[in-house]
Amino acid sequence: MAYSYQRLDKDDVTVLMIDHQAGLLSLVRDFGPDEFKNNVMALADIAEFFDLPTILTTSFEDGPNGPLVPELKAKFPDAPYIARPGQINAWDNEEFVQAVKETGRKQLLIAGVVTDVCVAFPALAAREAGYEVFVVTDASGTFNTTVRDAAWDRMSQAGVQLMNWFSVAGELHRDWRNDIEGFGGILANHLPHYSNLIQSRDATLKN
Amino acid sequence: MAYSYQRLDKDDVTVLMIDHQAGLLSLVRDFGPDEFKNNVMALADIAEFFDLPTILTTSFEDGPNGPLVPELKAKFPDAPYIARPGQINAWDNEEFVQAVKETGRKQLLIAGVVTDVCVAFPALAAREAGYEVFVVTDASGTFNTTVRDAAWDRMSQAGVQLMNWFSVAGELHRDWRNDIEGFGGILANHLPHYSNLIQSRDATLKN
Amino acid sequence: MAYSYQRLDKDDVTVLMIDHQAGLLSLVRDFGPDEFKNNVMALADIAEFFDLPTILTTSFEDGPNGPLVPELKAKFPDAPYIARPGQINAWDNEEFVQAVKETGRKQLLIAGVVTDVCVAFPALAAREAGYEVFVVTDASGTFNTTVRDAAWDRMSQAGVQLMNWFSVAGELHRDWRNDIEGFGGILANHLPHYSNLIQSRDATLKN
Amino acid sequence: MAYSYQRLDKDDVTVLMIDHQAGLLSLVRDFGPDEFKNNVMALADIAEFFDLPTILTTSFEDGPNGPLVPELKAKFPDAPYIARPGQINAWDNEEFVQAVKETGRKQLLIAGVVTDVCVAFPALAAREAGYEVFVVTDASGTFNTTVRDAAWDRMSQAGVQLMNWFSVAGELHRDWRNDIEGFGGILANHLPHYSNLIQSRDATLKN
Amino acid sequence: MAYSYQRLDKDDVTVLMIDHQAGLLSLVRDFGPDEFKNNVMALADIAEFFDLPTILTTSFEDGPNGPLVPELKAKFPDAPYIARPGQINAWDNEEFVQAVKETGRKQLLIAGVVTDVCVAFPALAAREAGYEVFVVTDASGTFNTTVRDAAWDRMSQAGVQLMNWFSVAGELHRDWRNDIEGFGGILANHLPHYSNLIQSRDATLKN
Amino acid sequence: MAYSYQRLDKDDVTVLMIDHQAGLLSLVRDFGPDEFKNNVMALADIAEFFDLPTILTTSFEDGPNGPLVPELKAKFPDAPYIARPGQINAWDNEEFVQAVKETGRKQLLIAGVVTDVCVAFPALAAREAGYEVFVVTDASGTFNTTVRDAAWDRMSQAGVQLMNWFSVAGELHRDWRNDIEGFGGILANHLPHYSNLIQSRDATLKN
Amino acid sequence: MAYSYQRLDKDDVTVLMIDHQAGLLSLVRDFGPDEFKNNVMALADIAEFFDLPTILTTSFEDGPNGPLVPELKAKFPDAPYIARPGQINAWDNEEFVQAVKETGRKQLLIAGVVTDVCVAFPALAAREAGYEVFVVTDASGTFNTTVRDAAWDRMSQAGVQLMNWFSVAGELHRDWRNDIEGFGGILANHLPHYSNLIQSRDATLKN
Amino acid sequence: MAYSYQRLDKDDVTVLMIDHQAGLLSLVRDFGPDEFKNNVMALADIAEFFDLPTILTTSFEDGPNGPLVPELKAKFPDAPYIARPGQINAWDNEEFVQAVKETGRKQLLIAGVVTDVCVAFPALAAREAGYEVFVVTDASGTFNTTVRDAAWDRMSQAGVQLMNWFSVAGELHRDWRNDIEGFGGILANHLPHYSNLIQSRDATLKN
């Protein structure tokens, strides 16, 4: 059966950051807190680096779910920001879907909290709407790994592709020569061991 | 290939609670006992909250499998209750299948003990009968995670969708505004950390 | 070397519940949330059942640490309740130490959040003050198991005895005949599998 | 898409026990040794109980792979026993394939050591030959869980169904009333906790 | 500081099997069920092989705790069997302590369910009474590994020595030549991989 | 649905070793370092033993990614060696694709570091180009098992088959009699426990 | 036996940061990379906040061990910095011991890489020299948790106290009122979930 | 209490390699097979490098326990080699104890299989005999980590010090300058990631 490689294309990707809110984050337990914060900010840096249209959305900010984490707000001051009045599935919010449509792009990179709801529901709805959907699994969190495994399976069977921030970065960048410094900087900032490699090499070069 | 999002619809869902019996529960070891009890009762609260038709069934109650846990009996006093005389697969019991048919609904939410038998067999049979089948994975338990992984794979390959009680709740409710207090109450009762968020917020509001 | 068994004596025990606050609880990740909530309330039920003097304390309630969880407040309405204005180690608060002294008892049962600070510091201070100190390890939580292991080791080397709520209950009760119903009720409420045993037995007796 | 439930039928199943040899067993590390021995013998008891045609095969018995474990030899004294002279994939041995064909059955239950080779290769070959193939995952072992996960995925994608000995027993038996004593005996012998339930119940009945 | 090796001596050891009851066993979750059953029976075989005085005791047999597992009863038909009327700590039962004293031995090998109560309490009491105490950790079970770790620490700090059934067997036997067949038989029956080694060797010797 | 077993054929396989570089290897944490080194060298020995065309490639060798590990360079002195000037996906390098084409073979065995990028990207591209693609999962490493699971799923859904070095060896060799000594040597060198079996057998034969 | 609580005193503590070098860090695998980096920098921030004398040392910087990580160098520009020419145990370096002595303090907080060598050796030597020694376990890393457990045990038995950065911070600060903002800032910067609590609270206060 | 640092001294250490036999090794499951083989050979290389007196011993070589692994025999051709006729505890063999005494050294480094018997028994006996005893934990293996934890605790409480091969190497070598090449060679051969650091550095130096 013929297979067609749906490959991330920086000119055809939109990033959806869904419900990374201070309250909801306290529910995330399939990642350690330091690791998860790093993963989310790595994805944000990637979106900025490749100048990808990015859409922010939250649910019920003024209840226990809490405000969007300030680092994301600061990173994307001009991004569409849809504070949903009640819809659990962001795709049920017309303003959100409209913002996606207006980017004119067919590939969606989705990350959010929690994976089984805030990520899975719009991912499945976007699949039905004909989009190529990629979930950034390590910038999305939920209650525990059992819940995560079930959510991944449901999405995967629906044709959603499971990626991680590092593979997203690599698939978008394609060639180191496009910008060695910039791309290396993202790795150094978010992969402590890659940073160590650079430091060891620089020290050796100086000697 | 066109994908159609089979989305839980509270007007088209029936809940099947299969063999949550005191004896069989002692075999469940892929969840901690406190967590599993909480998950099962969360699903029961969801069924009640959304007024979903619910069918209870047990196998061999008066043998070592033991009685249905009393909390479920108490929660659904008027639900069809089929104490199967011997059929291992509930779908082999005509009365059970008839009860399902009489709901006139095409989406089945299944939970039970043990996952690989009491859940998987009727799930596969219901798939063959044309139903949309959703298994509530964290309200279903079995011997260990290795057995669970195999059972999940068999069901998933048959088109069964793997969910968890929280995503079931969210997909049914769709919009917080439909009933903020009621829905929030389920979360507060079954997610201790969500309850903590509410308490912290309430305390801050009082100050 | 002669060994003397320091055995919990219900007439010589005081219970210290330290900083079980809604905000701090979101930091606890060495236990699942359902399990931890169950453990804390089991200890509270034990304190009530044996009529043990119980002292509640919190740190900085009106900041991010949040309020004492309401279930504890409700359970011990007449207990000394020391909202510490700033001391991290409860033993640095004179009112708290005074409350302990006034019980006239020499055995302290300590539980709290987080284990490495709010439990360990007063436990070590109480050891220095000559008390027999018992930490209820599963009603005390912290960031992860690595932190917990180090905290347990520090306390154990200082002569603190590590227990769990179930062994505390058993060591205090000593003989089932002292109150079969009451003691069995605590087990049934906090050990789902013990409850299952009771239900299976009752069902068999009825047949 | 229409789904058809391929359900184990005791009149249409053949069991293939592949390379459970004393030497190869020392390589199995995805199960504890007691658990694995119990699982293999449970499957053997099931084959005997349902009088399923069973085929034994080994590879290179007189080398380091070692002899077939004696319990299996003793259990199936009249079963076809193909000591393969060199073929790694049992399906490459004509005598073996012929023995399978002669059963005239279309459902194959496969267990063996190691999962990724001795189970996966004949499972894939049998799929190509048109059989319905079911792997008994917990009576099949390999080097570690990473290897197992990859082997399961390869087989699952080829249409092999992943089961465990308990679900095999249940799907074959279908109704407790077919033989309560016999079926209960298998459970009691291979599920210590089910045996405990029986003992507790019997003791209560005596009182 | 001088250290004296307290070494198990088959002429100075008494075995205490405490509360291995059908109901209580369903609470044990720090070992898999097959592994735990094997461990308990291995210890029983060791006691029989070395002809060690063995004392059986249970707590509340006719309640939910259930009857002593029949394999132990059958193995030690003439052993003192103290069905305690209510004492949680077996050492609080005078008949039990008397039975221990009558053996005239100073080394106690203790196993039981659950570790933190039924094992730990008499172990600490026996230490105070001057016995050398050895707990057979893998024939003793409890709710989870966190509870186990705390119980082990409490006992270890009290001078209790933590062993496992295999090291108990080796320390008692001292020299293979004392009875190669008998000792090898225990290993073969309870260590599947040791049995495999024997089978592989025998097969090679036959060739 | 008809299933066709894509079986590794030593006359139709090419091996691609991608980016096993000293720097990148420090990022691999889903395998222990000893195990991973052993797996990679086992695959290299297999390629050599079956005389499979092998292609080496690296990315940015003179930056922090570091040089190809010397053992691989030494093992394949005459293999095509493509030091990619910048392409992250090896399939974007024309020289690499050309080298693959020139082997005239349609089955690709891919291993590399890191799995989610250096393995997954060319694997998906090769699937689109019509190759049968097999990933050697245990000779491919990445940041952690969560990232690995997502990458495996993406590849598996694209028709890539997940194997491990041992199953690759078995599927290629097909029959022990093709070269008992040579094949046994690979196992003995890379499976310490298989080596132990050989040593025990040899010792027995000598006695 | 009388117990004396050795309590960290900010006027009596010296911090020793040992061998946090870019090369050695690649060996650390008992912590995830993001978590470990966070822990080390948290300890550094604590040292700075409490103005603790801090001593940096490295071993063989210009070999594969690599340079001190630049963040530490930047944080303590005026700290004694002893690049040891060869001594593995920093305490064998006279200049280092002299720097410790010159602080005139008797409590040593030690963190380093790897735990079993660079931390354990000077910790034991310092114990012999009469210091009170505290190891910051989560700012110290090594090959795996098995190695760590052994190293912790060796140190603990020698009277070294095992702590974590958070308990160090709490024991030094003693009272929130000493500097709420400063202390809260350290927590917010290094505990993402504590930061979330602050954000949720601030958002509520604004509403 | 005064503490004295018992520090390994290459002029005062004897190495005891106990029962690393091909059959017994198949029982070791607390380490992966590649990792364990590497650890044992690392310790052997250390003994050779520092020219430490080394004593080999085995138990029942011509039974299922199997022969000493050939790599150890080859490494120490002139070492005392005591094939014990039956004693389980090597210290019960007079020839063995005599060989130890003849080294005239007071520090014993012990490694063996299995940890709880072949290591623990002579370790405790040697402690009683007045030796300083150090167990190389990662070159010693047993059935599982639960058994290991109990054995470690028993030995630690007896004053045995728990080390790992890397810390042994470091404590013996003391100063890199004593032999940079030789010591670095051991690290490179047994720590793949240290080897990677060297390769990356060498590559950088060449550029």
Side-chain angles (χ1 to χ4, degrees), chain A residues 5 7 156 164 194 201, chain F residues 62 65 92 116 128 153 157:
Chain A
Y5 177 13
R7 191 177 183 179
S156 170
N164 52 305
Y194 203 80
R201 183 167 172 272
Chain F
D62 44 351
N65 294 352
D92 282 343
D116 44 311
E128 186 170 69
D153 184 85
Q157 295 289 32

Side-chain angles (χ1 to χ4, degrees), chain E residues 3-7 148 152 156 161-164 166-167 170-171 174-177 180 193-194 197 201, chain H residues 23 29 60 62-63 65 85-88 92 116-117 121 124 127-128 143 146-147 150 153-154 157-158:
Chain E
Y3 164 80
S4 161
Y5 177 12
Q6 295 183 345
R7 189 177 183 182
R148 177 171 75 193
W152 283 20
S156 171
Q161 298 189 53
L162 306 179
M163 297 187 71
N164 51 307
F166 184 76
S167 62
E171 193 152 310
R174 299 207 171 176
D175 196 308
W176 281 84
R177 290 166 299 184
I180 294 182
H193 289 301
Y194 203 79
L197 291 173
R201 184 168 171 272
Chain H
R29 276 149 200 268
F60 246 153
D62 45 353
N65 293 354
Q87 301 93 344
I88 291 173
D92 282 343
D116 44 311
V117 171
F121 294 177
L124 298 181
R127 281 285 299 125
E128 186 170 70
F143 304 97
T146 306
V147 166
D153 185 85
R154 191 185 189 202
Q157 295 289 32

Side-chain angles (χ1 to χ4, degrees), chain H residues 41-187:
Chain H
M41 293 317 299
L43 177 59
D45 282 356
I46 289 166
E48 184 187 45
F49 177 73
F50 290 106
D51 205 17
L52 304 174
T54 300
I55 300 171
L56 306 175
T57 184
T58 57
S59 116
F60 246 153
E61 281 209 23
D62 45 353
N65 293 354
L68 183 66
V69 290
E71 293 89 343
L72 287 182
K73 224 181 279 192
K75 172 75 77 182
F76 303 105
D78 304 323
Y81 181 123
I82 292 105
R84 307 193 307 279
Q87 301 93 344
I88 291 173
N89 183 343
W91 209 263
D92 282 343
N93 181 293
E94 292 184 17
E95 190 185 352
F96 180 80
V97 174
Q98 189 57 31
V100 174
K101 276 188 191 153
E102 281 173 8
T103 65
R105 294 171 165 220
K106 76 164 186 293
Q107 296 182 320
L108 302 183
L109 263 181
I110 305 182
V113 171
V114 294
T115 311
D116 44 311
V117 171
C118 309
V119 173
F121 294 177
L124 298 181
R127 281 285 299 125
E128 186 170 70
Y131 289 88
E132 296 178 9
V133 179
F134 304 81
V135 162
V136 190
T137 51
D138 52 359
S140 302
T142 189
F143 304 97
N144 52 58
T145 54
T146 306
V147 166
R148 177 171 75 193
D149 286 350
W152 282 21
D153 185 85
R154 191 185 189 202
M155 294 191 287
S156 171
Q157 295 289 32
V160 173
Q161 298 189 53
L162 305 179
M163 297 187 72
N164 52 305
W165 73 257
F166 184 75
S167 63
V168 164
E171 193 153 311
L172 287 167
H173 197 52
R174 300 206 170 177
D175 196 310
W176 282 85
R177 291 166 298 184
N178 289 332
D179 179 349
I180 294 182
E181 293 304 310
F183 190 68
I186 290 178
L187 303 196

Side-chain angles (χ1 to χ4, degrees), chain D residues 97-163:
Chain D
V97 173
Q98 188 58 30
V100 174
K101 277 189 190 152
E102 282 171 6
T103 66
R105 294 170 165 221
K106 75 166 187 292
Q107 295 184 321
L108 302 183
L109 264 181
I110 305 182
V113 172
V114 295
T115 310
D116 43 310
V117 170
C118 309
V119 172
F121 295 177
L124 298 181
R127 281 284 300 125
E128 185 170 69
Y131 289 88
E132 296 177 8
V133 179
F134 304 81
V135 162
V136 190
T137 51
D138 51 359
S140 302
T142 190
F143 304 98
N144 52 56
T145 55
T146 306
V147 166
R148 176 170 75 193
D149 286 352
W152 283 19
D153 184 86
R154 192 186 189 202
M155 294 192 286
S156 171
Q157 295 290 30
V160 172
Q161 298 190 53
L162 305 180
M163 296 187 71

